[in-house]
Amino acid sequence: MYVLGILAALTSAAIWGLIGPTFRGLYAFGVEPITVGLVRGTGAALCVAVFALVRYRDSFRELFRQLPYRIAGGLFGVVGVYLLSNIGMVRIPIGFATVLFYTSPLWVIAMAAIWGKESLTRIRLVALVLGLGGVWFAVGGVEPGHLDLVGILCMLLSGFSYAAFILNGKYGLGRTDPFTNYFATFFWGAVLMWCIAVPTGSLACLQGLPLKGWLLLAYVVAIPTLLAYGILLAALKVIPGTVASILSTAELAFAIFWSSILLGEHASLQTILGAVAIAGAVALLTLEGSDNSLEALKRFFSRGKKASSSSKAC
């Protein structure tokens, strides 16, 4: 079961690593990033609403309480993460874009320290420097003619938005009622996406969209938005969160791999070094101050050795 949990976590990472090429495929069909964000956010909101209707009906009343904070949650959790990452991934190389998105833990460190919620320990400072060094490496690996500042800014802001979503769940409204906060994020995020899409005429690109385009839209909602999270939750039942968190950084490698296979994009050495540095920063933050985390990793490697020795014996 433990090995299955590891494979499940890696499967989620592989699915998320494929989302960039999917965005490119939709863009090739003429579907704008705003429209993709709208469909993705609305689909997720509807699925969560159905679940809330069955299990948490009281959460509907909470959607309109503390409204400014609920709307802000939707702005960061859906508009910031879904829309900005889509824009970024159609403008800059996908591997590079994913590296920039993974700066989210660095944003968490900075904002938590500024707000006085968490102290800036030595390990966090090292992780921050290592992560910023990774960004510097990755940006330096892009050819000057392909250095799209809008794409870079969108991916950095998307990482910032995801960090804000995480902090809201830990210290904001999600601290007292996680599910309602989760539901409200998707609900108000979808509302905001409609407010953006309708005035800009972004729905027009859906007219005459071929079947393959609709299937890609359905895939974006069903697989990376819903199924991948379900697989990861299933993995967390049999492996520690520490191991799952570190394995999730494999998304960086999968993003580079998928974009190379499907789009012919070849990551530069500096982009790969940047990805390694940021993955190392995430690993440091995951392991910080937790003996349980270290024990989990020891068990992970010891099980791997046992499996290897048993296969040799066979």
Side-chain angles (χ1 to χ4, degrees):
M1 291 298 291
Y2 196 85
V3 174
L4 289 178
I6 292 171
L7 291 176
L10 290 174
T11 299
S12 295
I15 292 173
W16 287 322
L18 188 57
I19 199 167
T22 306
F23 287 161
R24 292 284 184 87
L26 285 166
Y27 194 67
F29 281 117
V31 183
E32 299 177 6
I34 293 176
T35 310
V36 177
L38 170 69
V39 173
R40 193 180 180 193
T42 303
L46 289 174
C47 291
V48 178
V50 170
F51 184 78
L53 195 62
V54 175
R55 297 287 301 274
Y56 300 98
R57 293 188 179 183
D58 291 343
S59 62
F60 283 90
R61 289 198 299 267
E62 299 295 326
L63 292 176
F64 298 91
R65 294 177 181 173
Q66 297 180 294
L67 197 56
Y69 297 101
R70 300 293 189 195
I71 295 175
L75 177 65
F76 288 112
V78 174
V79 178
V81 175
Y82 288 176
L83 177 58
L84 293 181
S85 65
N86 197 336
I87 294 173
M89 285 188 176
V90 299
R91 297 184 68 103
I92 61 178
I94 291 168
F96 177 43
T98 307
V99 168
L100 295 181
F101 179 78
Y102 259 79
T103 58
S104 54
L106 310 182
W107 290 113
V108 170
I109 293 174
M111 288 191 287
I114 290 172
W115 292 342
K117 298 295 184 180
E118 298 176 9
S119 59
L120 187 60
T121 63
R122 290 181 180 178
I123 290 181
R124 293 178 186 178
L125 185 59
V126 170
L128 187 62
V129 172
L130 186 61
L132 291 175
V135 173
W136 182 81
F137 265 116
V139 173
V142 179
E143 296 178 9
H146 297 86
L147 195 63
D148 189 312
L149 294 180
V150 173
I152 291 173
L153 183 62
C154 281
M155 291 311 303
L156 288 173
L157 288 176
S158 184
F160 172 85
S161 297
Y162 187 68
F165 169 72
I166 295 296
L167 288 173
N168 182 41
K170 188 173 183 179
Y171 298 112
L173 298 179
R175 182 169 54 89
T176 55
D177 191 348
F179 178 79
T180 299
N181 182 64
Y182 185 71
F183 181 22
T185 295
F186 281 108
F187 176 82
W188 287 110
V191 170
L192 290 173
M193 286 304 309
W194 279 98
C195 291
I196 296 171
V198 173
T200 56
S202 298
L203 294 174
C205 63
L206 295 177
Q207 296 178 357
L209 185 66
L211 178 60
K212 288 183 179 179
W214 286 108
L215 290 175
L216 281 177
L217 281 174
Y219 169 85
V220 167
V221 174
I223 307 303
T225 306
L226 298 174
L227 179 62
Y229 283 102
I231 293 173
L232 184 60
L233 289 176
L236 288 171
K237 292 181 179 180
V238 292
I239 64 174
T242 301
V243 175
S245 178
I246 293 175
L247 289 174
S248 69
T249 60
E251 180 186 349
L252 292 164
F254 279 117
I256 293 172
F257 172 76
W258 290 126
S259 60
S260 174
I261 295 296
L262 300 175
L263 303 175
E265 290 184 354
H266 299 291
S268 67
L269 176 60
Q270 285 183 268
T271 297
I272 294 173
L273 289 174
V276 171
I278 290 177
V282 173
L284 273 178
L285 295 173
T286 304
L287 296 172
E288 181 193 20
S290 175
D291 293 333
N292 292 334
S293 298
L294 294 174
E295 288 300 320
L297 284 181
K298 288 178 182 178
R299 288 197 301 271
F300 168 71
F301 286 113
S302 65
R303 291 183 188 219
K305 289 179 181 178
K306 289 179 181 179
S308 176
S309 61
S310 62
S311 64
K312 289 179 180 178
C314 295

